[in-house]
Structures are given as C-alpha cells and as structure tokens.
Amino acid sequence: MAKILQMPIQTGKIGVFDSGVGGLTVLREIMAHLPTESLLYFGDTARVPYGDRSQTELLRFVREIITWMQGQGVKMVVMACNTSSALALETVRAEFDMPILGIILPGARAAAKAGRRIGVISTVATANSNAYKQAILEASPVAEVWQVGCPDFVPLIEKNRIDDPYTRAVATDYLKPLMAANIDTLVYGCTHYPHLAPLMEQILPPSIKVINPAQSLVSAMAKELDMLGLRNTQSKPDIDFYVSGDPIKFAKVSGQLMGFSLQVQPVSLSVLEGLAIAQSV
C-alpha cells in the first residue's frame, strides 16, 4: 500500500476513533487537558466489538477509518482502542504521513512506574497479542504481568448495562485470578473499561492502583503536538461525532456517559470501504 501524504495544520481537528463508546473515555481526557483542540470522534459501531476480530480485519478497518479521517482534514489520529493499537498501529504508521498515536505504550509505561505485580484486563485479542505484557516488561524487566481477556465487558458497556447486577458478577469473575495473584496495579487495557470505574472501586481493595492509559496518552499527545508545532491556540474549539452504525442509539448511550447531548452523524460502511479501495489503487 502506497504511503499517503498529509500536510497537517494547527487548526485541523484531532481524529479519535474506537469501535464504539469506549474511546469517549479518551475524548474526555483530551477535552480536560487539551481544551483548545478541536476534535473529531468516530465510533465504528456497525462493527463493534473489535475484541474478537482477526488482525487482517482490524487492519482493514483501521485503514478505512484513517483514510476517511484524512479526507476530513485531521492533523493527528488517536487510536483510542487498545485492540487496534496492539494489532495495527505499527503498520498504519508506516502507511500514513501524519502523527498516529496508540494507547498501549503510554499505559504500559505508567503501569511499570506504579507497581511490580501488574494485572491487565482487556479484550481477548489484546490479551492474546501480549502487547501490554511486552511493553510493561520493556519498561520494567522486574515486573510480573498477568493478563485477563474480558469478552463480555464491551457488549455490556455498549448497551449501557454498567449498573446491572450481572455486570458486577462478570467483573468479579474476571478479577478473581488477578486478586489471587496479589496484584498491586490494575491496567484498564480497553478504553471502554474506565466507564466501569465506580463498579471496580466497589470490588477492588483500595491498595490496588488503577491505571487509565488515556491519561498517559493525553500527555504523549501534548508533547507530540508541541514538538511538531501543531498545538491549536484558538479559543472556541468544536467536536464532531460520527458513527458507522445507528447515530440515534449512539447519541443516547454516549450522552448518558458524557453528561451532555451529542449531535451524531452517520458514515456508511460503503463509504469507508470505497475510500480504502480507492487509496490502494
């Protein structure tokens, strides 16, 4: 695939994408710590969840989304999805001439600083990739890492069943092996999982430090923007929301999670697939 040229500008939006509402936890951190930046959020809700997809599928999805975002004039892309960061980041970085940031490395480094006995909860695909374990051990060779794939979390969060007793039972079951291993640090290895923070606080002992990689990712974004001279200083930024699935459903769930009403626009899969095919010719 030919490398695609892009000339980013300071006033361009930062593109943020995820399979669904999970990336909103990253968006919230960006809004809080980079308040002058305009943002474009894309949720690939027609193809959620990503956690049981193959690497080939995910790479195709990511190429389609970044190509579409490039057409919207974004100056930077943030892969607010651990699964796609684990399986597609390095490939698309080599194909697109714009800054593309993933979430795993910042989160792994934060975890390595926080503790020695580290548990990672994530999608099955992220767990199987060993991306977090490798990154944590590179940052701290003396660390011990336990990983648990949690296939039920994303569907439950996408349906806004966060307060459902069933979700608590599922979370308790997923955390059992990590508690048995006496972890001192827990990493949210999926951007959906910070939505479960109040539930996790009820289950986890207070001695366990919880790492939300989104916080470290935003720090990395700030450094990258400054280094490349892309920091936006305008006083009235805006945010656009797009989804590949049902915009009304997404607006309802995400509005409850974010605490404000969202105007969400649809982007059909045929448009995404057509753009990617055209770029590959």
Side-chain angles (χ1 to χ4, degrees):
M1 184 174 178
K3 193 167 187 177
I4 301 168
L5 297 178
Q6 170 78 3
M7 296 298 290
I9 56 175
Q10 289 178 333
T11 55
K13 294 180 184 292
I14 295 174
V16 182
F17 76 86
D18 181 46
S19 60
V21 301
L24 295 175
T25 62
V26 176
L27 193 76
R28 187 184 295 123
E29 294 292 330
I30 298 173
M31 292 168 62
H33 299 287
L34 296 172
T36 61
E37 295 294 342
S38 290
L39 305 169
L40 182 158
Y41 185 88
F42 178 83
D44 196 8
T45 53
R47 299 183 288 203
V48 68
Y50 277 7
D52 56 358
R53 300 285 189 172
S54 69
Q55 184 172 15
T56 300
E57 283 182 302
L58 283 170
L59 183 55
R60 176 167 61 84
F61 296 169
V62 171
R63 282 172 172 154
E64 291 170 0
I65 293 166
I66 296 178
T67 300
W68 175 79
M69 284 187 165
Q70 186 180 53
Q72 304 301 307
V74 302
K75 64 182 179 183
M76 171 184 282
V77 171
V78 177
M79 297 172 66
C81 171
N82 286 270
T83 303
S84 58
S85 292
L87 300 178
L89 177 61
E90 295 307 316
T91 299
V92 295
R93 271 183 170 170
E95 295 175 350
F96 292 85
D97 192 18
M98 69 166 68
I100 302 174
L101 280 70
I103 195 166
I104 289 178
L105 186 57
R109 288 174 173 169
K113 290 180 181 178
R116 293 290 181 88
R117 301 178 66 81
I118 300 168
V120 182
I121 51 174
S122 69
T123 67
V124 173
T126 299
N128 289 342
S129 75
N130 282 317
Y132 263 106
K133 184 173 184 178
Q134 292 170 4
I136 290 169
L137 292 178
E138 285 177 8
S140 176
V142 298
E144 293 182 85
V145 183
W146 292 264
Q147 302 174 106
V148 175
C150 308
D152 288 341
F153 273 165
V154 169
L156 288 168
I157 295 167
E158 287 289 327
K159 294 174 183 176
N160 202 22
R161 294 179 60 187
I162 294 171
D163 297 322
D164 192 315
Y166 176 74
T167 304
R168 181 187 177 92
V170 168
T172 301
D173 188 55
Y174 286 150
L175 292 171
K176 276 182 181 178
L178 301 179
M179 304 280 275
N182 294 316
I183 62 168
D184 56 33
T185 304
L186 178 72
V187 181
Y188 290 145
C190 173
T191 54
H192 280 75
Y193 298 175
H195 291 307
L196 298 172
L199 174 61
M200 293 296 185
E201 289 175 4
Q202 297 172 27
I203 301 172
L204 294 169
S207 60
I208 295 179
K209 296 179 285 290
V210 177
I211 303 297
N212 177 2
Q215 296 167 345
S216 300
L217 170 59
V218 174
S219 296
M221 288 175 60
K223 292 178 182 177
E224 189 89 354
L225 290 167
D226 289 337
M227 182 179 68
L228 297 175
L230 295 177
R231 178 84 72 142
N232 189 0
T233 57
Q234 70 180 23
S235 59
K236 293 184 179 180
D238 63 311
I239 307 175
D240 294 327
F241 292 90
Y242 296 86
V243 294
S244 58
D246 183 350
I248 296 175
K249 179 181 177 182
F250 181 85
K252 181 179 179 181
V253 174
S254 58
Q256 292 171 341
L257 294 172
M258 295 293 285
F260 59 85
S261 298
L262 283 66
Q263 297 295 321
V264 184
Q265 303 176 62
V267 180
S268 71
L269 291 181
S270 60
V271 168
L272 294 173
E273 293 164 356
L275 285 171
I277 291 172
Q279 289 286 3
S280 64
V281 175

